Amino acid sequence: MSTTVLATKLFAPARRPQLVARPRLTGRLDATLDAGNRLTLVSAPAGFGKTTVLSDWLAHLAQRQPHTRAGWLSLDDADNDLTRFMTHVVASLNSVGLGVDPTVLESLHTASTSNALTVVLNDVTRAGEHAPGEQWILVLDDYHVIAASEVHEAVTFLLDHLPDHLQLVMATRSDPPLSLARLRSRGQLIEVRTADLRFTPAEAREFLNHAMGLDLTTADVDALEERTEGWIAGLQLAALSLRGIPERGEVAGFIEAFTGSNRFVIDYLADEVLARQPAQVRDFLLATAVLDRLAGPLCDALTGRADGTRMLEDLERDNLFLVPLDTERSWYRYHHLFADVLRARLRAEAPERVPSLHQRASEWFASHGLVEDAVRHALASEDFDRAAHMMEEALPELRRTRYDSLMLAWARSLPDPVVRRSPVLSILSGWSLMMSGDLDGLESRLDDAAAALAAGARDDDLAAAWTDTDDLRTAPATIAIYRASLAQARGDVAGTVRHARDAVELAGPEDHFVRGAGSGFLGLAAWAEGNIKEALSTFSEALRSLHAAGNFADELGSTIVLADMWVASGRPSRARRLCEQALHAASNGGYPYQRATADLHVALAELDCELGELASAEAHLETARVLGERTSITENRHRWFVAMSQVRAAGGDYDAANGLLDQAESLYRHGFYPDIRPIAAMKARVQIAAGVLVSAVGWADVRGIGVADEADYLREYEHLTLARLQLAQHRDVPRSDPARGASLVALLGFLGRLHAAATDAGRDGSVHEIRVLQALAQHAHGDLPAALAALNRALSEAPEPDSNVRLYLDEGPPMLTLLNHLASTTDPVTGAERGDGVRERALRLLKRAQPVNGTQGPQQATAETLSQRELEVIRLLGSKLTGPEIARELYVSINTLRTHTKRIFTKLDANTRAAAVHRARERGLL
């Protein structure tokens, strides 16, 4: 089901001939065209004439300023889907000649939202350049129905980048969550509020006595105006009621009879209006109250009559709260408040009619190809079988257009028994539960889908009720794919393999997407087992299947996973080439390539961070942030926060790094990829680097890991984190302590087992990291020759040792000490001259450890690893400020200050504040 443009949404309501002239508001709205204005906000509760005021203003504006053209868009609840919203925005812009290419909208859910919006704005800008002197206005009516954050973000982006010749006007019952304060402070916001929209006494007299044809005294008008507080809907209802009062003496009593809140007034006056309508009109109003929009033939389908078109024309002529939605008067809607009253009265008087009216509406919409409306009315009539059938039919097209919000809404809308009877809808429901992180719910729905298929094989009548689509044909394979995902989320590698193989066997030769997904999970299972060679081969085959299926966005997104595998194999440069090639394709290939753009920037940021190129990494992350996290693939959204955490930790800002990992944890979704780098272990590494060992010990205790564990690739990241924790703990224990020696021997044995497992599996990336930790453990044990031998092997045998800068620098002073030894021209053990490539690599690493303006040599690099924040702290430690005063000066807590101070003492080999300041001065840091 494609996103169809509803033409009725693009017309401003026609100006009524009886309208009260309101020049004070017209002048206020004219300021919309002032230079620098971006948004005109008309904000007031229902019934204050927002839409009428704007349509009247635009009608006058067209006469006074022929070079100004206005597009109109009436919003409804369905516009909470970004694609639907922007489809109608572009249609409205094009209705006034702005020439926006609508094909860019095809990429809204598969690409960067900001990229797509930029194309829209560029088209608008070009239109302005080709027509100098022309001005355009876009009116968004009923904006209060918008609740989707992605739509608000898109509107914010548009507001931030609107060209000068286009202004946005918004009518809403409540202020939208946009940057109104910023626009207001910059003089870019015009506001029309409730107080502005209320009828003045003079306007009330004009409306009641001339527009509504009454003959009320000044006292009567003033009393009505006072009772309604200038509320236009209340005055209109009162006027309609007064038309039916023949005796002059009853008018004052009627006016005196109502008072109180708007809700009371609207109920009271609507009752009066309905009571005075002919029976035929009253029945028409109640029968059509279930509709959000009305057309003559549609009304006929509900009433069983043939006068729907004439009745709508009569209602409009009589000012009975009917709003035309197009210039041809084909479509209308009731005023929202009046519609509420009609529906309440229908439910009160004839509740048994409501389901059949919705059912007739559903049948009419379905016969005219308006599936979304048809499903909505079928659900309202509780005809769930009919709704399910239409959903099954529409789902393939919804997936193609990525109408995810509607699919999620449908997945939640059907009763459980109806969902369970349909394999396709059970899978849809399971997918929605997986999106919310409910793995048990997913498993239950997969069982339901399998049971439904089995029941359908036995019951021809049940199977005949299902819609014959590709989704139904491939349902068995799809169930197997989701079971593979579920097994992976639970760390069941054998189960992942079994279900993935089932999916491949069940798929037909041309079912490339299913075959690609099955092969992908086989590759991921091999990765989870640590078999990188098989993982690379199988996952590469999966990407080829995705390409053959035409799923280019998934192909590019999966390239990031393939890059991760190349990193695990110890070849980050290969990973970088893949990501750069994919980014080029995503940036230049158009729809549907661009969906992966943000994620590819994040992947490159992680590679840059490991290289020590923090500025470049941050630039990639800023680009990804601007592109918008909602444009990234759902399962990758946590990675931006992980990558930024790595950048912050590398710069010594551990508090920020931990906060970012908290955000990553909230976004992480199990089941898509093996959990090779658990976020909790990442947080432990940050805590170790910050010297907060108590928290890291708590993590290890909760995870139940120890140096007696067997090697397991899914826990390797945790095991190597544990090794770093123990090394950090040993630094504060005297070397003479026997327990320290025994603990280090056990740690070395543990690292030896991990090294053997990684070597056997050909995981060169793991081998490289383990050798670095073996060097540090040997150094802590007091065996300098063994430490240097391990570090020498790490630097000489790794496939790409220069691609792993942070691997060395993040280990702090002990590693810098060892690198200084390797960088020396003389071997500290044998006394022999050095001249090999290892020395050059050590020198390059030490150079990366120096600050940009550093002048000291490699032998002093330990002091120069102070982060920017630590340099700020050491400068204040040299002052007369107390600890709490320094904390306030830096806007940090006293505990954070203590953490920074402890690390400074460690790096400068000092035990007191005075000693640290003295050594910092010696080394030129102060």
Side-chain angles (χ1 to χ4, degrees), residues 80-83 109 113 147-155 405 630:
N80 279 287
D81 178 82
L82 180 59
T83 297
H109 278 292
T113 300
S149 57
E150 61 179 358
V151 176
H152 292 312
E153 289 173 5
V155 173
S405 61
R630 280 183 175 78

Side-chain angles (χ1 to χ4, degrees), residues 715-751:
R715 304 202 75 181
E716 184 181 82
Y717 188 90
E718 292 180 309
H719 286 152
L720 298 182
T721 304
L722 174 68
R724 288 175 167 87
L725 172 60
Q726 293 206 351
L727 287 170
Q729 290 174 310
H730 292 140
R731 289 171 192 157
D732 294 329
V733 179
R735 290 196 174 187
S736 58
D737 188 329
R740 181 180 189 273
S743 176
L744 285 169
V745 169
L747 176 59
L748 284 166
F750 181 48
L751 290 172

Side-chain angles (χ1 to χ4, degrees), residues 583-634:
L583 182 60
H584 179 78
S587 301
N588 299 296
Y591 170 78
Y593 296 87
Q594 295 172 344
R595 183 186 181 201
T597 304
D599 296 332
L600 288 162
H601 277 291
V602 173
L604 287 167
E606 291 180 316
L607 293 168
D608 279 346
C609 185
E610 181 55 36
L611 267 178
E613 302 289 350
L614 301 185
S616 177
E618 195 152 2
H620 276 299
L621 290 171
E622 176 61 15
T623 300
R625 187 194 65 78
V626 170
L627 290 174
E629 62 91 11
R630 280 183 175 78
T631 65
S632 70
I633 298 171
T634 306

Side-chain angles (χ1 to χ4, degrees), residues 686-705:
V686 172
Q687 292 158 357
I688 294 166
V692 187
L693 301 188
V694 173
S695 297
V697 170
W699 159 80
D701 290 342
V702 168
R703 292 296 296 153
I705 58 175

Side-chain angles (χ1 to χ4, degrees), residues 273-326:
V273 171
L274 286 175
R276 286 168 171 77
Q277 300 305 316
Q280 186 179 18
V281 173
R282 191 175 187 278
D283 184 71
F284 180 90
L285 292 171
L286 293 177
T288 57
V290 299
L291 299 171
D292 293 327
R293 51 197 175 108
L294 305 92
L298 172 58
C299 293
D300 291 342
L302 271 66
T303 63
R305 294 166 11 194
D307 60 349
T309 299
R310 180 185 60 79
M311 187 67 75
L312 291 172
E313 292 170 351
D314 291 345
L315 293 177
E316 183 192 5
R317 185 173 56 253
D318 290 341
N319 284 318
L320 205 58
F321 290 92
L322 196 68
V323 180
L325 296 176
D326 57 29

